[in-house]
Amino acid sequence: MSEPVSPEELVTAGERLAAESARFAALGWMRGTSGNLSLRLRDDPLRLAVTASGRDKGELRGEDVVLVDGAGAAVPEQPNPDQRPSAEAGLHARIAAVAGAGAVVHVHVLSPVLAAERWPDGVRLRDLEMLKGLGRSAHDDEMVVPVVPNSQDMRELGDAFEAGFDPATPALIVARHGLYVWGRDLAQARHRAECLEWLVSFRLAADR
Amino acid sequence: MSEPVSPEELVTAGERLAAESARFAALGWMRGTSGNLSLRLRDDPLRLAVTASGRDKGELRGEDVVLVDGAGAAVPEQPNPDQRPSAEAGLHARIAAVAGAGAVVHVHVLSPVLAAERWPDGVRLRDLEMLKGLGRSAHDDEMVVPVVPNSQDMRELGDAFEAGFDPATPALIVARHGLYVWGRDLAQARHRAECLEWLVSFRLAADR
Amino acid sequence: MSEPVSPEELVTAGERLAAESARFAALGWMRGTSGNLSLRLRDDPLRLAVTASGRDKGELRGEDVVLVDGAGAAVPEQPNPDQRPSAEAGLHARIAAVAGAGAVVHVHVLSPVLAAERWPDGVRLRDLEMLKGLGRSAHDDEMVVPVVPNSQDMRELGDAFEAGFDPATPALIVARHGLYVWGRDLAQARHRAECLEWLVSFRLAADR
Amino acid sequence: MSEPVSPEELVTAGERLAAESARFAALGWMRGTSGNLSLRLRDDPLRLAVTASGRDKGELRGEDVVLVDGAGAAVPEQPNPDQRPSAEAGLHARIAAVAGAGAVVHVHVLSPVLAAERWPDGVRLRDLEMLKGLGRSAHDDEMVVPVVPNSQDMRELGDAFEAGFDPATPALIVARHGLYVWGRDLAQARHRAECLEWLVSFRLAADR
């Protein structure tokens, strides 16, 4: 069993999450207080640092972070006991566990939600150079980004995610809600989110 | 009866309004010198700090603020007597009084005005996660953002607002003009304005 | 006859033009080295400070400015003799003379050029609050922004401008080229340009 | 034969490439780690400084640069031997050699890729003032931006580029991939890229 997460380690993770959140907020992908980001800190048992709920994502501080377990619940030994994790922490933890992700970003970026509305059975992307940014080939390799119906029950969302999970597709669209993208670390998750947004914007405009 | 608003308190409110205005101006939602923001300072009698008229909303200083009464008129004991309130201060005051809002933002953001042009009887939004950002449910809960015709008579606009007022809907679109959104404080009003803009942009693009 | 423009006065004007140019460049309205801005310094004979040609409009310095006469030609007593005025300085000077403008901004912003393509006989705008930002009424007052064909001959462009000039309409679209807007000073010209862009974007999207 | 490129000269080139990359990244034209920029340092034999592969283009440092030869391969006497050039360095070198360019920018900007999808035989642009920003005339002078199919083989891409090369057209679109633009130096290449994006956005919107 791994050593506990110290308050210092958690705040350091919070600072990294805050910096990434501010980038996404500046893009307009975290309007209001929407969206949340997580970083894996321990594998066994699973522990994630997740951005705290209800804050402006362009103004997070290192303290605005919660340590959650594999179910997305705040652990009892919480360094900042007054912070609440987002309900969506449960889906972050599920993605981290199933996909082995080191970081998960969930943003309310418009184009994937529009694409899910148009292609509710999954958003098909192929023969585009930007697919390489998601670890796929730019030729003869179709990536289907799964679309799952929105729900407030993270177990339901997590089951739907897992049912459609393909290890080669590090993204999920929750219909009428937003986008999840993951990677080995926050930088890779961010780069993949940016590439996916480009790809989906291309498809929406090209198929107009 | 409450104690009078001191010049210091008004300038502090003006600084907060200036910071919020600069954010909206950077989004392009306060082009020219358009739009205005207000903050409730007293309940009885009602007193609001409102951004001064005719200024660039990206360059306001703390002094660019006016203290108005429940009719939106500058109070006689004005600390900065050379500042004029916007005519629209009358609608801010009406919204503050009727909805009990602590802060009101009025911005000239394009998508709600386009939506009002397409749906002049009100903009219907439902089954979208972002509705939670306006205090509504993401499922089976339709929010209809009222649309009222534009007018230069704030009493007329205020009456139209009040006639269609629903306490669960903290927003109003003035057709061919702009958007009003309110909340308990400036941060909540801003977050709601951002969420509403997202929702309306989604509907406009999804129903194309 | 008025006193000559000193090098210091010209550089001060250049600094103001540089600051305004940087704002427009950040909006994407002066891509490449396109567009130019001018400020009236003398009435009799007419003297304008105009941004120098061929520079990145986001990186101008106070020295990147030329003093031109009523025909848009660099005056002989030029403080910075190595700077060239834009050929378009001739149209700036014509607008300053005919409209009595204190400042003229010419930007390559996309939406007015698109509008001119759709409505080559003039872009009609009415019953919109933002018209107040151009000194017009928000009700029952139609503003027709003139459209003139593009030309490299500033006399030809100036004649076309003057033939369609209406003192109540401080804007001109040159088809397949860009937008001219003017006002009593740089701030007013900028505010009007921002409002016009909003109005034209609204019409283009509403009439889709 | 020219003198070797010193580590200091390469880092200086890297700093200029980093500054340009950050500008394009801020425009959203280098999402993920996409795109790359190059600067010609020697003519005989040809030597280019190229941005290193796999980095966030908004966060490059002067060290994130590779010296490549006329085939786009890292030269053996590499000052930073741990950096990899992008595979696309081969096309940069080909363009530098064939077009005599001093700088080449390759960005993943959306509108040219959309235009290539609509006009796979080349994107025709004429009678638009912005063409002057690419060294063309604003009247009666048609510029056809060549479109070549995407490939991972830089020799194949280079051959396709060369087959369609017109010295008067400093741009190339790789279908379903991105845009190449070049000029005598980085500033001119950037200005031309900005103008081309404007022109293509105009055509896409005007021909809707």
Side-chain angles (χ1 to χ4, degrees), chain A residues 28 30-34 54-56 58-59 88 108-110 113-114 117 150-152 176-177 208, chain B residues 20 23 27 29 126-130 132 138-139 190-192 194-195 197-198 201-203 205-206 208:
Chain A
M30 300 186 93
R31 292 285 192 223
T33 64
S34 70
R55 309 280 163 135
D56 191 302
E59 299 174 346
E88 290 158 332
H108 286 201
V109 51
L110 197 60
V113 188
L114 286 170
E117 201 71 4
N150 194 22
S151 169
Q152 304 306 308
R176 303 181 74 85
H177 181 157
R208 186 169 286 204
Chain B
E20 292 295 323
R23 292 178 71 116
L27 292 173
W29 296 5
R126 64 173 295 137
D127 297 329
L128 288 157
E129 183 76 11
M130 272 296 208
K132 291 165 69 178
H139 306 274
R190 180 222 300 164
H191 291 152
R192 288 175 166 181
E194 290 184 359
C195 291
E197 196 271 342
W198 190 100
S201 295
F202 174 83
R203 265 224 75 190
R208 187 170 286 205

Side-chain angles (χ1 to χ4, degrees), chain B residues 32-33, chain C residues 128-136 170 188 191-193 195-196 199:
Chain B
T33 65
Chain C
L128 287 158
E129 183 75 12
M130 272 295 209
L131 282 164
K132 290 164 70 178
L134 288 130
R136 302 295 289 255
Q188 191 184 60
H191 291 152
R192 287 174 166 180
C195 290
L196 189 70
L199 288 160

